[in-house]
Amino acid sequence: MLSQKLHEALNAQINAELWSAYLYLSMSMDAEAKGLKGVANWFYVQFQEEQDHARIIMNYILSRDGKVALQPIEAVRTEWASPLEMFQDTLKHEKEVTAMINNLASIAAEDKDYASSNMLVWFVDEQVEEEESAREMITACEAVEGNKFGLYMLDKELAARTYTQASPLASTNA
Ligand code: MG
């Protein structure tokens, strides 16, 4: 059985992942409305990935005979001044998610809940990637700042990002 503390924290994490999905969907819509289809695509893929993160945790709670309790998703910002500002917000948000994942890992360790610790390893690694990719995008946006042709080329590049299902789901086909 999951401890009550870990169970509640995992349910809160589902909400955080779905809020992340909603945030990136909002960025995607704002970018698309401004004609930045590549940036919109990048954030739409991000939106899909965040839903996978929530699904992985939901599957895990159910596999441990726990109850998934979905909570309301708070409103998100709807407008950004530039892609740079979107990626800065992304990095700031992902750092907060990293802190939440680390907290989950601490609780699992305190509980000596080895199955939960093991499940969380994937998320710990994923957060390293999330922060790294946000930093890379900030660098790319800074490099083209004030250069419309540069932004046009960057947007074309981001149009190529494709979604692949997160690996913990690929094995269960959930
Ligand atoms: Mg996530």
Side-chain angles (χ1 to χ4, degrees):
M1 280 287 279
L2 295 166
S3 71
Q4 191 189 340
K5 189 177 175 188
L6 185 59
H7 191 179
E8 282 172 7
L10 285 168
N11 268 313
Q13 192 67 37
I14 294 168
N15 191 268
E17 300 294 345
L18 291 175
W19 191 86
S20 302
Y22 210 38
L23 175 69
Y24 298 138
L25 181 62
S26 187
M27 288 178 178
S28 179
M29 293 300 112
D30 189 38
E32 187 142 354
K34 288 164 180 161
L36 295 166
K37 286 199 168 181
V39 175
N41 173 65
W42 197 94
F43 280 108
Y44 198 83
V45 171
Q46 198 73 9
F47 158 64
Q48 291 171 295
E49 286 191 2
E50 296 303 335
Q51 292 175 86
D52 282 357
H53 299 170
R55 182 72 229 197
I56 293 164
I57 299 167
M58 290 189 276
N59 284 353
Y60 181 70
I61 291 174
L62 292 169
S63 75
R64 294 294 304 273
D65 202 21
K67 167 93 180 139
V68 171
L70 298 180
Q71 299 297 322
I73 300 166
E74 297 243 344
V76 291
R77 187 173 166 180
T78 56
E79 187 107 39
W80 287 264
S82 64
L84 174 61
E85 200 183 20
M86 288 180 184
F87 289 113
Q88 285 167 337
D89 255 16
T90 298
L91 179 59
K92 182 169 165 279
H93 176 61
E94 288 301 333
K95 283 181 174 176
E96 288 165 12
V97 174
T98 300
M100 290 182 77
I101 295 291
N102 288 344
N103 182 51
L104 282 168
S106 298
I107 300 169
E110 277 165 29
D111 288 352
K112 295 190 168 57
D113 183 339
Y114 302 112
S116 295
S117 294
N118 209 23
M119 184 277 292
L120 288 164
V121 167
W122 185 86
F123 281 92
V124 170
D125 292 344
E126 177 68 15
Q127 285 311 117
V128 173
E129 283 180 30
E130 296 283 28
E131 289 190 25
E132 184 184 21
S133 75
R135 278 198 311 275
E136 282 173 4
M137 293 311 308
I138 288 169
T139 303
C141 288
E142 284 172 348
V144 302
E145 228 186 339
N147 176 345
K148 282 191 176 174
F149 183 69
L151 180 59
Y152 173 79
M153 293 307 288
L154 179 61
D155 190 64
K156 281 241 176 284
E157 190 185 314
L158 298 190
R161 186 183 184 193
T162 54
Y163 163 73
T164 32
Q165 193 175 44
S167 55
L169 291 180
S171 53
T172 57
N173 235 343

